[in-house]
């Protein structure tokens, strides 16, 4: 938490520290909490390394068409079926290690014979865009609900609190797969083909509905304790409107937990989205999707374990990097927390 | 104790009523054509007519919900399928089997999977956490904290097939995962579920190691520990007879919350190893858009989590005598 008094002393200590090492006299420089956070973060080697990896993943997702054009292949063409000599009679790559070669860097998909590298690169787009949308929307909903609940209190708080408890206590993975067909049934009849965008939207909707409660609960408890503090009381007594209290007094003190929660949530959503694909209820063909790559990988691992390794290791790197980044951001915001 | 239990169960029933009402509403009112959605992907016209009649689409929604609710406690009659004894959750429109008996058939698989994994998580996580706290700052302590980052980042659908490939296919150390009823062959039940247990617990265990460690370290700084030491109790006795009790309370709270996640993990584990449990049932029902089955699985899953949470709360009183359940 960055309350004004503590950051002020932090700033003084920090600048005194740097001034002493630089030996440039007793000049005290005022720094905002954001600047302080950035200074602490820059010194954290693990944090910087994981930040670079995470940025690289986002860049790959953004530049997927460029990468595919330079590489000269796309994720849709069934190379293995079009060109003889790539897949054997059982549909497995003939070349060792899942058909890894100069032409196909990460090998070929067993069966359809599509290029694994471009599938992986385009798959990042699906995973990351869904995870980003869900993180942003569920965070906004969580902030709104949490602050409303904590600030207004009374019956509103009771109702929202019960909803949060109920949502958190239930097996969200089960609800996730159960409600997907219901959301879709609202728009299409079972005999019709579900459009890709609708599946995309329903995944986002269901993940958001089941995801906002965590941050809402956290913020509710933070607001409850902040509301009783003197600076909020002072603002209220001097006649500040609720909107002013919320946006100018409460929210600035809540950014730290909000950002920490969001960094914790994003890798979870990446995993959840891939989990849906793995269970066969995620993004549909032909949209490249990591979850579906895991599904294929889990079916063919007896004969071609390499195919499973590429999405598996990529995802492990991404999630580890993002979790470490989250830890570093937490440390940078609040150097007092011990892990 | 008894009155506490009665109150908790009553509260649980209220929550389940609300959940079932919401779920029911979503299933019956949201689809563009509920009868058509209930009929699933492959739908004969005569089935559709029967469904329209069975679901009583002409009746108001709360009457339909009432019939469904009464069916659970008193059973109900279906024109198409005949008598459905209590507890009746209706019939699957995809496989024509009663929903409740389909769930009961698969229940032992999911129960074995989650219970076994819970034992692995708690036993291994708490044990290593206590060793780490016993040897604070030493290598094992560091291994525990760094492995928890990687452990929590692993995905079941990646580790599962990978371990199966190396341990089952290549090295042939353990049998291929499947479900052998414990009543038939306890040893076979154990060996065939070993891999799923390990895979399901991997993502949780490291977290429990870390939590146990920090809780133990906190407990060892408490006054009662100092008192016990001052009275001449050996550090080992203090550690293993006193301090762990205090450390277990927060661990149990987190475990109660994690139960729901564990069930979610069980769905993916079942799919990974082709175990025919409730999760697999749910996934197949989703693929067939089999709404009665989904409704049943949702309610049973929610009920299981609510009841398990009550059981976890009861454990508090067992571990910490200061806790009065009232």
């Amino acid at each position: 938490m960055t309350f004004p008094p503590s950051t002020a002393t932090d700033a003084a200590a920090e600048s005194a520290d740097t001034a002493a090492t630089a030996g440039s006299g007793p000049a005290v420089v005022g720094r905002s909490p954001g600047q302080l956070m950035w200074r602490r973060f820059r010194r954290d080697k693990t944090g910087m390394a994981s930040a670079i990896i995470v940025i690289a993943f986002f860049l790959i997702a953004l530049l997927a068409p460029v990468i595919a054009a330079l590489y000269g292949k796309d994720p849709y063409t069934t190379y293995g079926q079009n060109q003889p000599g790539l897949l054997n009679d059982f549909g497995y790559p003939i070349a060792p290690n899942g058909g890894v070669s100069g032409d196909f860097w990460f090998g070929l998909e067993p069966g359809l014979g599509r290029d694994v590298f471009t599938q992986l690169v385009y798959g990042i787009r699906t995973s990351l865009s869904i995870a980003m949308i869900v993180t942003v929307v569920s965070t906004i909903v969580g902030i709104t609900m949490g602050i409303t609940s904590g600030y207004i209190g009374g019956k509103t708080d009771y109702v929202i609190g019960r909803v949060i408890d109920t949502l958190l206590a239930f097996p969200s993975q089960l609800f996730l797969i159960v409600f997907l067909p219901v959301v879709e049934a609202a728009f299409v009849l079972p005999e019709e083909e579900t459009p890709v965008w609708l599946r995309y939207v329903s995944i986002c909707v269901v993940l958001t509905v089941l995801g906002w409660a965590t941050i809402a609960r956290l913020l509710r408890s933070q607001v409850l304790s902040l509301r009783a503090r003197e600076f909020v009381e002072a603002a209220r007594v001097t006649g500040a409107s609720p909107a002013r209290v919320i946006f100018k007094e409460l929210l600035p003190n809540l950014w730290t937990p909000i950002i920490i929660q969001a960094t914790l949530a994003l890798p979870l959503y990446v995993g959840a989205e891939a989990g849906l694909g793995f269970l066969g209820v995620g993004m549909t063909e032909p949209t490249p999707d990591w979850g579906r790559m895991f599904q294929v990988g889990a079916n063919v691992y007896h004969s071609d374990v390499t195919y499973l390794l590429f999405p598996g290791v990529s995802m492990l790197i991404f999630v580890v990097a993002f979790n470490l980044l989250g830890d570093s951001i937490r440390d940078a915001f609040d150097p007092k927390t011990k892990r | 104790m008894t009155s506490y239990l009665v109150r908790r169960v009553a509260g649980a029933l209220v929550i389940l009523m609300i959940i079932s009402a919401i779920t029911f509403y979503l299933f019956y009112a949201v689809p563009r054509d509920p009868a058509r959605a209930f009929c699933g992907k492959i739908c004969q016209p005569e089935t559709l007519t029967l469904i329209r009649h069975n679901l009583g689409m002409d009746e108001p929604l709360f009457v339909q919900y009432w019939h469904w609710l009464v069916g659970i406690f008193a059973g109900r009659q279906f024109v198409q399928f005949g008598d459905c004894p209590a507890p009746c959750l209706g019939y699957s429109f995809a496989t024509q089997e009663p929903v409740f008996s389909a769930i009961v058939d698969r229940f032992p698989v999911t129960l074995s999977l989650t219970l076994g994994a819970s034992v692995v998580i708690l036993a291994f996580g708490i044990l290593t956490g206590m060793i780490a706290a016993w040897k604070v700052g030493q290598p094992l302590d560091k291994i525990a904290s760094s492995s928890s980052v990687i452990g929590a980042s692993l995905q079941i659908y990646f580790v599962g097939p990978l371990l199966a490939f190396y341990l089952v296919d290549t090295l042939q150390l353990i049998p291929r995962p499947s479900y052998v009823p414990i009543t038939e062959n306890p040893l076979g039940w154990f060996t065939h579920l070993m891999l799923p247990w390990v895979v399901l617990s991997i993502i949780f265990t490291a977290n429990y190691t870390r939590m146990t460690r920090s809780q133990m370290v906190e407990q060892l700084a408490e006054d009662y520990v100092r008192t016990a030491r001052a009275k001449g109790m050996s550090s080992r006795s203090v550690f293993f007879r006193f301090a762990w009790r205090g450390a277990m309370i927060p661990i149990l709270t987190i475990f109660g919350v994690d139960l729901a996640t564990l069930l979610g993990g069980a769905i993916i584990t079942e799919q990974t190893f082709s175990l025919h449990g409730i999760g697999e049932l749910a996934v197949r029902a989703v693929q067939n858009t089999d709404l009665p089955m989904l409704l049943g699985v949702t309610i049973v899953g929610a009920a299981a989590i609510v009841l398990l949470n009550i059981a976890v709360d009861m454990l508090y009183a067992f571990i910490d005598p200061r806790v009065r359940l009232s």
Side-chain angles (χ1 to χ4, degrees):
Chain A
M1 275 172 283
T2 49
F3 298 120
S6 76
T7 46
T9 45
D10 266 5
E14 188 96 13
S15 47
D17 191 17
T18 46
T21 46
S24 58
V28 174
V29 190
R31 289 196 185 85
S32 72
Q35 285 169 324
L36 282 170
M37 181 250 158
W38 174 238
R39 287 174 61 83
R40 280 193 222 106
F41 185 74
R42 247 184 352 199
R43 281 202 295 266
D44 186 346
K45 286 206 186 78
T46 326
M48 283 307 272
S50 22
I52 290 168
I53 294 174
V54 167
I55 291 169
F57 270 89
F58 277 96
L59 279 180
I60 291 172
L62 274 177
L63 300 175
V66 181
I67 296 170
L70 290 174
Y71 173 67
K73 296 189 179 57
D74 64 72
Y76 307 106
T77 313
T78 53
Y79 298 100
Q81 291 181 350
N82 301 347
Q83 301 170 28
L86 288 173
L87 297 182
N88 64 20
D89 294 343
F90 305 104
Y92 290 107
I94 291 174
N97 297 322
V100 172
S101 66
D103 275 345
F104 301 96
W105 294 355
F106 286 1
L108 289 160
E109 180 186 5
L112 288 172
R114 292 181 291 195
D115 177 61
V116 176
F117 179 71
T118 43
Q119 289 238 312
L120 203 59
V121 167
Y122 272 90
I124 300 178
R125 289 193 134 189
T126 322
S127 292
L128 274 188
S129 61
I130 290 182
M132 284 288 286
I133 293 172
V134 175
T135 308
V136 170
V137 178
S138 66
T139 305
I140 293 173
V141 176
I143 293 172
T144 318
M145 296 302 249
I147 294 185
T148 313
S149 177
Y151 188 73
I152 298 179
K155 282 212 178 73
T156 320
D157 182 32
Y158 182 80
V159 171
I160 296 179
R162 292 292 80 72
V163 173
I164 292 173
D165 285 350
T166 318
L167 272 177
L168 286 179
F170 286 101
S172 55
Q173 191 82 46
L174 182 64
F175 277 37
L176 205 56
I177 60 172
V178 164
F179 287 134
L180 264 178
V182 181
V183 172
E184 278 174 10
F187 300 100
V188 287
L189 294 172
E191 68 264 24
E192 295 169 2
E193 198 63 42
T194 311
V196 172
W197 67 266
L198 181 63
R199 181 57 69 92
Y200 191 91
V201 172
S202 22
I203 291 176
C204 290
V205 167
V206 176
L207 278 172
T208 307
V209 168
L210 294 170
W212 62 270
T214 320
I215 189 158
R217 178 156 79 170
L218 181 83
L219 292 183
R220 175 183 167 274
S221 62
Q222 298 264 328
V223 170
L224 280 181
S225 73
L226 282 177
R227 197 176 57 170
R229 286 178 63 106
E230 290 85 347
F231 68 94
V232 177
E233 255 170 52
R236 272 191 180 163
V237 169
T238 49
S241 68
R244 202 204 129 83
V245 173
I246 287 172
F247 287 106
K248 294 279 175 187
E249 312 291 339
L250 293 177
L251 215 46
N253 285 300
L254 293 172
W255 281 122
T256 309
I258 290 171
I259 289 172
I260 289 170
Q261 275 302 311
T263 54
L264 286 175
L266 195 132
L268 287 182
Y269 291 132
V270 170
E273 192 274 330
L276 288 178
F278 171 75
L279 293 175
V281 294
M283 289 306 292
T284 43
E285 295 279 10
T287 316
D289 177 53
W290 285 16
R292 251 196 359 264
M293 294 182 82
F294 283 113
Q295 193 190 21
V296 174
N299 286 327
V300 301
Y301 73 88
H302 304 287
S303 322
D304 182 7
V305 77
T306 322
Y307 182 76
L308 181 71
L309 283 176
F310 287 110
V313 173
S314 315
M315 192 148 160
L316 181 63
I317 293 173
F318 177 75
V319 176
V320 168
F322 215 101
N323 281 335
L324 288 174
L325 177 69
D327 283 347
S328 297
I329 291 179
R330 203 171 330 169
D331 289 351
F333 268 119
D334 189 0
K336 286 188 294 291
T337 47
K338 273 182 266 165
R339 272 185 288 123
Chain B
M1 189 71 171
T2 321
S3 74
Y4 170 80
L5 197 61
V6 169
R7 242 176 321 124
R8 280 300 301 267
V9 171
L13 283 177
V14 171
I15 288 190
L16 286 176
M17 286 279 285
I18 296 170
I19 290 285
S20 69
I22 293 171
T23 318
F24 193 88
Y25 174 78
L26 284 172
F27 277 64
Y28 281 73
V30 168
R32 218 168 81 191
D33 179 356
R36 184 64 197 80
F38 265 83
C39 199
K41 286 231 166 65
I42 316 120
C43 183
Q44 262 76 42
E46 51 270 31
T47 325
L48 190 62
T49 336
L50 271 171
I51 289 172
R52 283 196 207 284
H53 182 70
N54 273 342
L55 292 177
M57 291 295 179
D58 40 355
E59 286 179 288
L61 201 62
F62 68 88
V63 177
Q64 296 180 39
Y65 175 63
W66 178 249
H67 284 319
W68 182 83
L69 205 60
V70 167
I72 294 179
F73 296 102
R76 65 194 279 198
Q77 287 285 330
F78 283 102
V79 183
Q80 186 186 1
F81 305 104
D83 192 40
C84 173
C88 172
L89 290 168
Y91 280 84
S92 155
F93 288 120
T95 58
Q96 319 292 324
E97 59 186 326
V99 169
F100 188 74
S101 66
I103 293 174
V104 169
D105 283 349
R106 276 127 181 289
F107 189 67
V109 182
T110 309
L111 187 73
S112 305
L113 184 61
T114 38
L115 274 188
S118 310
V119 171
V120 176
I121 293 167
L122 289 177
F124 197 72
I126 292 175
L127 190 75
T128 47
M130 283 177 67
I131 296 171
W134 185 244
K135 311 257 179 212
V136 172
Q138 289 179 18
L140 189 108
D141 194 13
K142 288 179 184 133
I143 292 171
S145 64
S146 49
S147 69
S148 72
V149 175
I150 296 182
S153 306
L154 284 171
Q155 308 291 337
I156 293 170
Y157 39 80
F158 172 50
V159 188
L162 203 63
L163 285 182
F165 178 74
Y166 287 110
L167 298 178
V168 180
D169 287 6
T170 315
L171 300 172
Q172 302 192 324
L173 282 176
I174 41 175
R176 184 160 299 289
S178 64
Y179 180 71
V180 180
I182 190 169
T183 43
E184 278 174 27
N185 179 357
L187 187 72
W189 173 80
F190 184 82
T191 51
H192 283 83
L193 279 175
M194 223 153 58
L195 188 58
W197 286 337
V198 170
V199 168
L200 180 52
S201 50
I202 273 181
I203 50 171
F204 294 95
T205 305
N207 203 13
Y208 281 83
T209 307
R210 198 165 61 164
M211 279 190 305
T212 309
R213 179 193 168 277
S214 62
Q215 284 301 326
M216 284 302 285
V217 170
E218 219 166 85
Q219 287 293 321
L220 289 175
E222 291 278 334
D223 287 345
Y224 73 89
V225 168
R226 199 176 48 200
T227 313
R229 283 234 175 100
K231 287 166 85 177
M233 201 172 191
S234 75
S235 339
R236 184 170 301 179
S237 301
V238 172
F239 196 86
F240 290 104
R241 284 177 58 190
F242 280 15
W244 74 274
R245 281 173 181 258
M248 282 312 101
I249 297 290
I251 303 279
L252 264 185
T253 311
I254 306 278
F255 186 69
V257 176
D258 271 354
L259 274 173
T261 325
L262 196 63
L263 188 69
I267 297 176
I268 293 188
T269 313
E270 281 169 14
Q271 196 74 7
T272 307
F273 296 112
S274 313
L275 300 170
H276 299 294
I278 290 176
E280 202 246 29
L281 191 68
V283 171
R284 226 188 37 206
V286 171
Q287 282 156 357
N288 295 329
T289 332
D290 187 354
L291 295 191
M293 187 64 87
L294 287 176
L295 192 57
V297 170
T298 314
I299 299 303
V300 172
I305 295 298
V306 169
L307 292 179
L308 281 173
N309 268 308
I310 295 180
V312 167
D313 285 353
M314 307 282 289
L315 271 179
Y316 285 148
F318 171 71
I319 286 182
D320 189 344
R322 286 172 307 180
V323 173
R324 291 276 155 78
L325 296 177
S326 59

